[in-house]
Amino acid sequence: MKTMMKISVAVAAGVFSITPVSTSNAAAQSFTAPNAAVDASMNSAGGQTLSLAASAEAARCSWGANPPYLSGRTVNASVWSSSCPGGFHYTGVLQRKRWYGWQDLASKSWYGSIGFSLSKGCKAGTTFTYRSYVVDGVGTHKFSPQRRFKCR
């Protein structure tokens, strides 16, 4: 009988908890791995295969979007990721609010740790509410605060 396993990992403590998903007679088990076992691979929630060392690195990873700002007739927003493994995927988007919802104005995708500025020109005399956000490879969104500007 094939037994599918659900694996949860606490990397910092080196503790693995393995819980069977099927109805076989296997019991849940926990064990502590030595620090030398950092090359073992696992599948994360995003479907990426990571070593334990990369999982520890991912725990330090931070990413987000800064509030948009107006510079002349251009709306800008910065999006970024820091201390993130190279295999992690992100997309940053600059949006404005319309009567029908949020309209994408500019976007940029990247892997790993980097920062970008997203920009879009605006027509003189128009007023809109803007925001930016970053979405990671598993669909988690981080939104900036909204800002309202009148383009001059």
Side-chain angles (χ1 to χ4, degrees):
M1 172 196 240
K2 182 177 179 182
T3 302
M4 296 180 60
M5 299 292 218
K6 176 179 159 187
I7 300 172
S8 62
V9 179
V11 175
V15 175
F16 297 80
S17 174
I18 302 174
T19 306
V21 175
S22 74
T23 57
S24 73
N25 60 1
Q29 301 175 23
S30 293
F31 62 95
T32 302
N35 288 337
V38 294
D39 60 349
S41 292
M42 70 196 78
N43 197 330
S44 73
Q48 300 164 327
T49 301
L50 303 173
S51 69
L52 293 180
S55 296
E57 183 180 352
R60 294 186 302 274
C61 176
S62 62
W63 48 279
N66 294 330
Y69 62 94
L70 184 63
S71 177
R73 288 194 182 163
T74 304
V75 177
N76 303 288
S78 58
V79 293
W80 52 273
S81 60
S82 176
S83 300
C84 299
F88 280 36
H89 181 253
Y90 302 94
T91 301
V93 180
L94 173 63
Q95 295 181 315
R96 71 177 171 187
K97 193 169 190 176
R98 304 296 303 256
W99 64 271
Y100 52 82
W102 288 95
Q103 176 187 22
D104 292 353
L105 301 175
S107 66
K108 178 72 177 173
S109 292
W110 71 93
Y111 288 88
S113 298
I114 198 161
F116 292 99
S117 181
L118 302 173
S119 302
K120 179 66 176 172
C122 60
K123 184 178 176 184
T126 59
T127 302
F128 289 101
T129 300
Y130 297 88
R131 72 177 180 188
S132 60
Y133 72 86
V134 175
V135 60
D136 69 2
V138 295
T140 304
H141 291 71
K142 290 188 179 180
F143 291 90
S144 74
Q146 298 176 16
R147 298 289 189 259
R148 189 163 179 84
F149 303 117
K150 180 174 184 178
C151 194
R152 304 190 189 281

